Structure formats: structure tokens, C-alpha cells
Amino acid sequence: MTFTKKPNELEQSLVQKSLLHRMIKQIRRSLDLQEILTTTVSQVRLFLDVDRVKVYRFNASGSGEVVAESIHEQRLPSLLGLNFPVDDIPEAARQMFVLVGQRSIVDVPNGKIGLSPVKSIESGKHLESNIYYRQVDSCHIQYLKAMGVQSSLVMPILHSDLQEQSAKPKLWGLLVAHHSEPREILKRELKILQEVTDEVGIAIAQSNLLTQAHAKQEREATINRVTTLLHKLPTIQLQRALEQVITAFGGIGGRLYIEQNRELYTWGDQPKLPYQLDNSIIEQHLVWQDWMAECKPGNVWASHDLYKEPRLRVLALGFLSTKIRGLMVIPLHYREKFIGVLSIFRSEFETEVLWAGRCEENRRQVLPQLSFELWREQKKGQSSEWKPEEILLAQALSEHFSMAIEQHQMYKNVQMLNVNLELKVQDKTAELEKSLLLAKVLKQVTEHIRRTLDLQITLQSIVQEVRPLLNSDRVLIFQMKTKSVIVEKINGNWQSALGLNAPPECFPDEYIRLYCQGRIKAINNVSTAALSDCYREFLQSLQVQANLIVPINIGMELWGLLIAHECNAPRNWQDAEIDLLQQLGDQAAIAIQQAQLYEQTCNAETESRNQAAQLEHSLHQLKETQTKLIQIEKMSGLGQLVAGVAHEINNPVNFIYGNLCHASDYAEQLLEILRLYQLHYAHPHSEISTAIKAMDFDFLLEDFPKIITSMQVGTDRIRSIVLSLRNFSRLDEAENKRVDLHEGIDSTLLILEHRLKGNAEFPRIEVIKDYGNIPLVECYAGQMNQVFMNILSNAIDALGMGNGEWGMGNEEMRTGDKRDNQYNRWLILRERSVEVPTIHISTKLSLDKSRLLIQIKDNGSGITEEVKKRIFDPFYTTKPVGKGTGLGLSISYQIIVEKHGGIMECISEPGKGTEFWIEIPIKPLAKKVN
């Protein structure tokens, strides 16, 4: 390409300015970088009218990739998505792109390259779009010819960090125009393209800012989610927080190890050390622990390939069976204290890079790229690099995890406090106030003890207070159980005795017995005192020249020793000093006893709460059982009463029923004789005629057979009632028997007949029976009758307390003719289109013929969802006080579900009535034998 000037520059300038504004407007229309680049190459190609325009982006490794491209009618092959080696663009050319913003125009046929810098390399000032030519390198010419290019234009795309004003521009990529024929470039075109590349650079910087903002927002959101889970005392959610962190880092697994209590939380893929490495927990391995000991607070270790890390050479064996390749280790510290470690695992994956021709590295420096045929480079065992923002997120999460875990440990320690022990401390303190000096000293120590029930803090406070009061060089507490020094306070550069174990031969059993009896041992001069050689050597090894020992006794047990050392010179211990140290030894014993009492109190409180809860549960079960027994006893008594009444009525009714047939025959015979008398003696005696007229003999002859018939109907009715009572009581059917449940329903309805009839305030309840063809069902018949009784009674109660339109006022009752009031009510309801109170009962078999389905539905006012949830709870009732116990439906539910292995459900909505759905097996299910 060559740089020329053409006529009509003003007109062309206006057109080109218009094109520039349109291109910039389209570039600024979007914040999506890929969309911006795609728009740029499309507009630039149309503007220049060339065969191909592409955007070439530099990778971190120095190689380049074509990320956007626009081609005219496929006149040149597509390079989109292809990568180019580092050596394709020399380092010198890259530096010129950055320093002076140099543009290059290559004219392949003439073998010339035109270089056009934006600013001077000497002064740094912007230049006009001047251009100077020189011969182009033959390697470059062959490179372009191999691509089928006769002319090219290359412009650098620079961008700066908008957040840093002093940041120098960096080379982001190149805007490249290729043409398969020679092509001239005008001065204005070059200027416009420079403005376009400047806009693209700004767009890239803005896109980077947007990406950083989104990353920061996501990082803060992750921190907020994790913080919410970590700081919910007392229910700290370490497992869920670990899962959130692993997800935020795109990991396939991870683990959280807490050093203090050796707790381990895991999620996802996990390494497993082989048995020969002694420990299956990787954080407890010596190599890992030595590594963590070297880590400083705030440091985060991250590797994209753990198999390349020398320090993990031994531990990497545990990862071989997994897909884990990337590893991030986040040590947790709280004020220099090592808390634990958080580890994140990333999976390995395969990558494929598309290259524009296969390049041979050993020939790259001497030969140009002659073939751009697609070459796929595949790499296995790859893992993504850990980004700087991910390291920042890990550091922030480290602080939150460390603080949360430490706070949780402190919270658990605080729970061990018991303020009720303060009075005991005061009582013990009052006994020790023998003098003003001792009172002041003991008050200071006692105040430290009152501040906490932590034994270690209390003992440390004692030695800190005692040392300046006695003005000794070292004060320590020796514990008998561990045979070592557990706390100490030193004044000067004397040797520490902390954790030191005393030789066993220096403390024979006789010493321990004497200390248990309250012995106090004061040694003014170690060198001259009557001591065993072993004991003297031990004291001299600690640089001790005088010491004072008082026992710490808890009851009859020697817990430890409170010891004061004088290392600078021998010392004569005064009685006040000995008394003071003895009192402080007693205070130490009190502090230890407090901790033990507190622990015992906590255990006793926990046990008392458990016992109270168990007793409350037992009492509730007892009340429920007693009420059920009362209900069962009532039903049993009712059954016996019903059976007895039915039996007593049955005998006389059977007598009447058995003689009515004979009475009917006798009456027929007598009436036949009377008719014969009337036939053969048409003119009876006058006295007989008078008697016949007086008694209305014709009516008597007609009505007497009717009376006999009505008596037979009445006795049949009484016998059916007696049979229904006997069927309902089922005293002879306490066990599982095959029965017709239709008889049980009918018997229950017959017993409730008096409640189904209407009265002056309420119309009759209609019962619609839709019985299916069902077989005999093996069940507890008496208990099933109890279920029918409870459900139907509740339905009648619901209809009685339901829709107010079913009731009539007295004024309505006084109107109308002399027809029956019940019939009048029914007509009024029909005229008002009010639904008559109805109970609908239906039975049928399930599709598989194994279960019986019973539906009992009323058209009452229905029940709310809150009531329906508790309708089967014991003692729950919505009836007024004294109208119900709340046990009917609860017992019915137990009979159906527990006794018969069936299903009982309530279906209801306010205003749409209530339906009870019952399913029981035709044959009882076989019970499992444990």
C-alpha cells in the first residue's frame, strides 16, 4: 500500500468524517469487547473497501491470536481463532508500536514498506501523518505472499489503565488490513483509522474496568455469603462455608482443617495418602506440618500443577488417583496464632490451540511462514493459573475464616462460665483477710479470678501478681499430674522452667504425703540446706539459690505446688511472705475447684434438663393413654349397655312377634264366622242390632285386620332396631372377622336417626348412600363402627352449626298453611335455592381390588387449613367447652392407620363442606417379625 493525496479533498474529508462518526458511534454503543471488535473490523473493511480486516491480540506468552475478522466474499482465507508464534512480529517492531505508535504500510509488488510514526521518538511530540519508505525485508514479503496478500496496513492498538493516571500505554494488539491487490491509502484515511484505533483502545480499557468491577462485585458477594455463614454464632456453618468457597474458586474439591481440635471438613474430590505414609490425613503429615510452620500470616500458596512442586513430592502420591491438578493452600492465622489451613483443588483438563501452520522452532529464525494450514496442538494435564484477584479473595477469606473459628472457640469457652460461683469466691476471700496487706494482695488476685473461669488465665494471673509482691526472680506453678511446670513469671534473663519435668527421684512419695497434709517448705540457701544431691543439682540447674514452696490441695488431693524462686542470691523468707504465698495457694485451689464445679454444674444442669424433658414426655403420654382408656371404657360400656338393652327388648318383642301370626289367624277365623252369621241370620235380635250400630261394626271389620298388620310392621321395626344395636355393639366380635361394613354404617345411621330428623329450628338431614359391590372385609368390626360413629356425629354437628340459611325464624314458621313444618322448611329451602343439609356416603373397591375406599362427605361450612392440619391431634377440638373432648377423630385415625394399616385423610375448604377419605385393606397386612 502507498500513501497518496487525491483531489476533492474537502468533499472526501466530509464523507470520511461522517464515516468516522458512524464507526465511533457503533463502537461506543456496546460495552461487550467482542461485539466492539467485531463492529470495528466490519466498519473498517467497508470504509477501506479491502478484502480482509482483522484484530490481532497479543497473549501473555507473547504469541498472538486473531480475535475478530471481516472478509469480503471469501477472497482471502479466514484466520479467525488461529494463533501465531511469538517470532512472527519481532521485538523491535513491537517496541516501535508502543514508543511512537508506528503504522506500517506494505506494498508487496514493489517490495517497499511505509513507516508512519504518530509521535517523534526523540521529543515524544505528535507528528503529522508523514510517511517514509524503505525496502521491506524479503522474509516479510514471502510471509505476505504465502497469505495471498499484495498490500497490508498494520496499526497498533494501545491501551492504558484508566485507574492509574501515570500508567504507560501497553501494546494490546494490532488492527490489520489485507488486500489481494495493490491498494493506496489516503492521508485522511490513515488519520481516521488512527482515531478508530484510539477509540478501540479506550473501549478496551473501559471493558477491562467493567470486567474488574464485575470481578470485584462477585468477590465481595462471595465474601458476604461466606461471612454470613461463618458469623452466625452459635451455629457457625463451616461445612456450607467451605462449599461456597470451593464453588467460588471453580474447584472440584477442598478441605478445611482446624489445628486445635483436629477437625476436618471436606467436600468434593479428596486425596488419599497411601498406608505407607503413616497418616491418612494429609494435614497431620510431618511434611505438611513443617511446611505450614514456615508460612507467615497472610501468605497464600497457589500452584497450577502440584506435581511440579518439590515440597509436595511425597504428598503428591495421594493425588494420583484423582483429577486434581491445581492446588491453593490458605493458612489460617489469628494474631500470629496458627488456626488451621483451607485447601482448594482444581481439576486437570486438556487444551487445544489452533495454530496458523505448524512452526518448527529450530527453523523459525531463518525461514518465513510459508504455510498457514490449520494445525491443532493438544496439551494434556493442564490446569488454569490462579489469578491475582483470586489470591486477593483467598487472603480476605483467610481473615474471615480465622476470625470466625477463633471467635467460635472463644464463644464455647465463655459458655463454661458460671456466675453463681461468685458468692463462694467472696466467702473464701473473706476468710483470708487477716491483715490489710494480705487483703489488698488477695483482692487483686481474686479480681483476676472473678474475671474468668478459665484455669490457665487464672493461674497465669496468680504468678503475675505474686512475683512483684514477693519481688522474686521467678514464680511458677508445678502440676503433680503432668509432673511439669505449667505457668511461670520471670524477672530478668533467667532460664525458663516452663514445661520442664522434674526427675522422679527428687520427689519421693514421702514429700507428696507431707504436701497433702499442708506442708510448706522454705529454703533460704540451696547450697547449705539439707537437701538430697539430686534435688540440689536440679535446683542449681535452674540457677535457683532460694525457694519457697506451698501446696495447692483440693480436698485430700495434692493438685500442684506454688513455688517462688530467688536466683540472684540466697534469701530469708519472712513469715508474712510465707503466709501470703500460702493464701495464694489456697486461691489457686479455689480457682481450680471453681472450674471443676462449673463443669459439674453444667453436666448436672444438662442432665436435669434431659430428665425434665423425659418426664414431661412421659406425663403427656400418660395423659393421652388415660384419656384413650376412658374413651375405650366408655365405648365398651356403651356397647354392653346397648347389647343388654337389645337383649332385654328382644325377648318380649319375639314373644309378641311370634303370637301376632296366630292372633291374625284367629281374627280371620272369628271374622269369617261373623260373616257366616250375617249370611244365615240376616235378621238378628234387636239388642244385637243395636250393639252393631253402636260399635260401627262395618268399620271394625275393616280396621281390625289393619291393626293386626300395623302391629306386625311395628314388631318388625323393633326387631330391626334391636338387630342394629347388636350389630353396632359387636361384643362378640372383638377380634378380626370378615364382616359387611355396610351393616355397620347402616347400624350407626339407625342409632343416629334421632339426630338426623329435623326439628323446629333445623330441617332434616338427608343421607345419600352410594354403596358399591364390596366383599366382606376382615377387620375389627366394633372399632370400625366407632370410626363411623365419630365421623357421622361430627358431620351432624358441622351441619347443625353450619349455614345459617338452614334455620328459619318464628315469623316464617307462623306463615303458610297447616302443612307439616318439616315439609314447609323443605319447600322454603327449595324456593330459596339453598342446598339441603346432606351427608353423602359412598363405598367402592380400589382398582387393584385390594383396598376398600369409603367416602363420607357433608355440605357444611367446611374447615380452614389451620384447623385441618391439627384435626387428628389428640385433645384438639373447635367445639365449645363441654361439647367435645378432641379425641374422637384422633382415636379414629389410630384405628384406621395403626390398627388396620389403612389411610385416613380430611379434604375440606371453607364454604365447600368436609370429606373424610378412608382406605383399609380387604385383608389385614402381615406383621413383620423382628
Short mmCIF file of all heavy atoms in Angstrom, two decimals, residues 38-62:
data_model
loop_
_atom_site.label_atom_id
_atom_site.label_comp_id
_atom_site.label_asym_id
_atom_site.label_seq_id
_atom_site.Cartn_x
_atom_site.Cartn_y
_atom_site.Cartn_z
N THR A 38 -15.79 -6.86 16.72
CA THR A 38 -16.49 -7.32 15.51
C THR A 38 -17.03 -6.14 14.71
O THR A 38 -16.93 -6.09 13.47
CB THR A 38 -17.62 -8.28 15.90
OG1 THR A 38 -17.08 -9.38 16.64
CG2 THR A 38 -18.33 -8.82 14.67
N THR A 39 -17.61 -5.16 15.40
CA THR A 39 -18.12 -3.97 14.72
C THR A 39 -16.99 -3.19 14.08
O THR A 39 -17.11 -2.67 12.95
CB THR A 39 -18.87 -3.09 15.74
OG1 THR A 39 -19.93 -3.84 16.33
CG2 THR A 39 -19.43 -1.85 15.07
N THR A 40 -15.86 -3.11 14.78
CA THR A 40 -14.72 -2.34 14.28
C THR A 40 -14.20 -2.91 12.96
O THR A 40 -14.03 -2.19 11.96
CB THR A 40 -13.60 -2.31 15.33
OG1 THR A 40 -14.10 -1.71 16.53
CG2 THR A 40 -12.41 -1.54 14.81
N VAL A 41 -13.93 -4.23 12.92
CA VAL A 41 -13.37 -4.81 11.70
C VAL A 41 -14.37 -4.72 10.54
O VAL A 41 -13.98 -4.53 9.38
CB VAL A 41 -12.93 -6.27 11.94
CG1 VAL A 41 -11.81 -6.33 12.96
CG2 VAL A 41 -14.10 -7.14 12.40
N SER A 42 -15.65 -4.85 10.85
CA SER A 42 -16.66 -4.77 9.79
C SER A 42 -16.72 -3.37 9.20
O SER A 42 -16.73 -3.19 7.97
CB SER A 42 -18.02 -5.19 10.36
OG SER A 42 -19.02 -5.03 9.38
N GLN A 43 -16.71 -2.35 10.07
CA GLN A 43 -16.81 -0.97 9.59
C GLN A 43 -15.52 -0.54 8.87
O GLN A 43 -15.56 0.17 7.86
CB GLN A 43 -17.10 -0.03 10.77
CG GLN A 43 -18.48 -0.23 11.37
CD GLN A 43 -19.57 0.09 10.37
OE1 GLN A 43 -19.48 1.05 9.59
NE2 GLN A 43 -20.62 -0.72 10.37
N VAL A 44 -14.37 -0.95 9.42
CA VAL A 44 -13.11 -0.58 8.79
C VAL A 44 -12.98 -1.22 7.41
O VAL A 44 -12.50 -0.60 6.45
CB VAL A 44 -11.92 -0.97 9.70
CG1 VAL A 44 -10.59 -0.82 8.95
CG2 VAL A 44 -11.92 -0.11 10.95
N ARG A 45 -13.40 -2.48 7.27
CA ARG A 45 -13.32 -3.12 5.96
C ARG A 45 -14.21 -2.41 4.95
O ARG A 45 -13.82 -2.18 3.79
CB ARG A 45 -13.71 -4.60 6.06
CG ARG A 45 -13.37 -5.39 4.80
CD ARG A 45 -14.03 -6.75 4.81
NE ARG A 45 -15.48 -6.65 4.82
CZ ARG A 45 -16.22 -6.35 3.76
NH1 ARG A 45 -15.64 -6.10 2.60
NH2 ARG A 45 -17.53 -6.28 3.86
N LEU A 46 -15.43 -2.05 5.37
CA LEU A 46 -16.32 -1.31 4.47
C LEU A 46 -15.74 0.05 4.13
O LEU A 46 -15.86 0.55 3.00
CB LEU A 46 -17.70 -1.17 5.11
CG LEU A 46 -18.49 -2.47 5.30
CD1 LEU A 46 -19.78 -2.20 6.05
CD2 LEU A 46 -18.80 -3.11 3.95
N PHE A 47 -15.10 0.67 5.15
CA PHE A 47 -14.53 2.01 4.94
C PHE A 47 -13.36 1.96 3.94
O PHE A 47 -13.26 2.78 3.02
CB PHE A 47 -14.08 2.57 6.28
CG PHE A 47 -13.29 3.84 6.17
CD1 PHE A 47 -13.87 5.01 5.69
CD2 PHE A 47 -11.95 3.88 6.54
CE1 PHE A 47 -13.12 6.17 5.59
CE2 PHE A 47 -11.21 5.04 6.43
CZ PHE A 47 -11.80 6.20 5.95
N LEU A 48 -12.47 0.99 4.10
CA LEU A 48 -11.30 0.89 3.23
C LEU A 48 -11.59 0.14 1.93
O LEU A 48 -10.82 0.21 0.98
CB LEU A 48 -10.15 0.19 3.96
CG LEU A 48 -9.56 0.93 5.16
CD1 LEU A 48 -8.48 0.08 5.82
CD2 LEU A 48 -8.97 2.28 4.74
N ASP A 49 -12.68 -0.64 1.93
CA ASP A 49 -13.04 -1.46 0.77
C ASP A 49 -11.89 -2.41 0.42
O ASP A 49 -11.39 -2.45 -0.70
CB ASP A 49 -13.38 -0.58 -0.43
CG ASP A 49 -14.00 -1.41 -1.56
OD1 ASP A 49 -14.51 -2.52 -1.25
OD2 ASP A 49 -13.97 -0.97 -2.73
N VAL A 50 -11.44 -3.18 1.45
CA VAL A 50 -10.37 -4.14 1.28
C VAL A 50 -10.93 -5.54 1.47
O VAL A 50 -12.09 -5.72 1.84
CB VAL A 50 -9.22 -3.88 2.27
CG1 VAL A 50 -8.53 -2.56 1.96
CG2 VAL A 50 -9.73 -3.92 3.70
N ASP A 51 -10.08 -6.55 1.23
CA ASP A 51 -10.56 -7.93 1.27
C ASP A 51 -10.65 -8.49 2.70
O ASP A 51 -11.51 -9.32 2.98
CB ASP A 51 -9.61 -8.83 0.45
CG ASP A 51 -9.66 -8.48 -1.03
OD1 ASP A 51 -10.73 -8.00 -1.47
OD2 ASP A 51 -8.65 -8.68 -1.72
N ARG A 52 -9.79 -8.04 3.60
CA ARG A 52 -9.83 -8.60 4.96
C ARG A 52 -9.33 -7.55 5.95
O ARG A 52 -8.33 -6.87 5.70
CB ARG A 52 -8.97 -9.85 5.07
CG ARG A 52 -8.90 -10.40 6.52
CD ARG A 52 -8.23 -11.76 6.59
NE ARG A 52 -6.89 -11.75 6.06
CZ ARG A 52 -6.28 -12.82 5.54
NH1 ARG A 52 -6.93 -13.97 5.47
NH2 ARG A 52 -5.04 -12.74 5.07
N VAL A 53 -10.05 -7.45 7.05
CA VAL A 53 -9.62 -6.64 8.20
C VAL A 53 -9.72 -7.53 9.43
O VAL A 53 -10.76 -8.19 9.64
CB VAL A 53 -10.46 -5.36 8.37
CG1 VAL A 53 -10.04 -4.63 9.64
CG2 VAL A 53 -10.30 -4.46 7.16
N LYS A 54 -8.69 -7.55 10.23
CA LYS A 54 -8.68 -8.41 11.43
C LYS A 54 -8.09 -7.66 12.60
O LYS A 54 -7.37 -6.66 12.44
CB LYS A 54 -7.87 -9.69 11.17
CG LYS A 54 -6.38 -9.44 10.95
CD LYS A 54 -5.61 -10.74 10.74
CE LYS A 54 -4.09 -10.45 10.56
NZ LYS A 54 -3.32 -11.70 10.39
N VAL A 55 -8.42 -8.15 13.81
CA VAL A 55 -7.82 -7.66 15.05
C VAL A 55 -6.97 -8.78 15.60
O VAL A 55 -7.46 -9.89 15.83
CB VAL A 55 -8.90 -7.23 16.08
CG1 VAL A 55 -8.23 -6.90 17.40
CG2 VAL A 55 -9.66 -6.03 15.55
N TYR A 56 -5.69 -8.46 15.79
CA TYR A 56 -4.68 -9.41 16.25
C TYR A 56 -4.34 -9.05 17.70
O TYR A 56 -3.86 -7.95 17.97
CB TYR A 56 -3.48 -9.30 15.34
CG TYR A 56 -2.31 -10.24 15.66
CD1 TYR A 56 -2.21 -11.48 15.04
CD2 TYR A 56 -1.32 -9.86 16.55
CE1 TYR A 56 -1.14 -12.31 15.30
CE2 TYR A 56 -0.25 -10.69 16.81
CZ TYR A 56 -0.15 -11.91 16.19
OH TYR A 56 0.90 -12.75 16.44
N ARG A 57 -4.66 -9.96 18.66
CA ARG A 57 -4.43 -9.68 20.09
C ARG A 57 -3.22 -10.46 20.57
O ARG A 57 -3.05 -11.65 20.26
CB ARG A 57 -5.66 -10.08 20.91
CG ARG A 57 -5.53 -9.77 22.40
CD ARG A 57 -6.71 -10.30 23.16
NE ARG A 57 -6.76 -11.77 23.08
CZ ARG A 57 -7.80 -12.50 23.46
NH1 ARG A 57 -8.89 -11.91 23.92
NH2 ARG A 57 -7.77 -13.82 23.37
N PHE A 58 -2.35 -9.80 21.35
CA PHE A 58 -1.18 -10.44 21.92
C PHE A 58 -1.56 -11.18 23.20
O PHE A 58 -2.27 -10.64 24.06
CB PHE A 58 -0.10 -9.41 22.23
CG PHE A 58 0.54 -8.82 21.01
CD1 PHE A 58 0.17 -7.56 20.56
CD2 PHE A 58 1.48 -9.55 20.29
CE1 PHE A 58 0.76 -7.03 19.43
CE2 PHE A 58 2.06 -9.01 19.15
CZ PHE A 58 1.70 -7.75 18.71
N ASN A 59 -1.08 -12.42 23.32
CA ASN A 59 -1.30 -13.21 24.53
C ASN A 59 -0.22 -12.92 25.56
O ASN A 59 0.78 -12.25 25.27
CB ASN A 59 -1.33 -14.70 24.21
CG ASN A 59 -2.45 -15.06 23.26
OD1 ASN A 59 -3.54 -14.49 23.35
ND2 ASN A 59 -2.20 -15.96 22.32
N ALA A 60 -0.40 -13.44 26.77
CA ALA A 60 0.57 -13.22 27.83
C ALA A 60 1.92 -13.84 27.48
O ALA A 60 2.97 -13.34 27.89
CB ALA A 60 0.05 -13.80 29.15
N SER A 61 1.92 -14.93 26.70
CA SER A 61 3.17 -15.60 26.33
C SER A 61 3.90 -14.88 25.21
O SER A 61 5.03 -15.25 24.88
CB SER A 61 2.87 -17.04 25.90
OG SER A 61 2.03 -17.05 24.76
N GLY A 62 3.31 -13.87 24.61
CA GLY A 62 3.93 -13.15 23.50
C GLY A 62 3.39 -13.55 22.15
O GLY A 62 3.57 -12.84 21.16
#
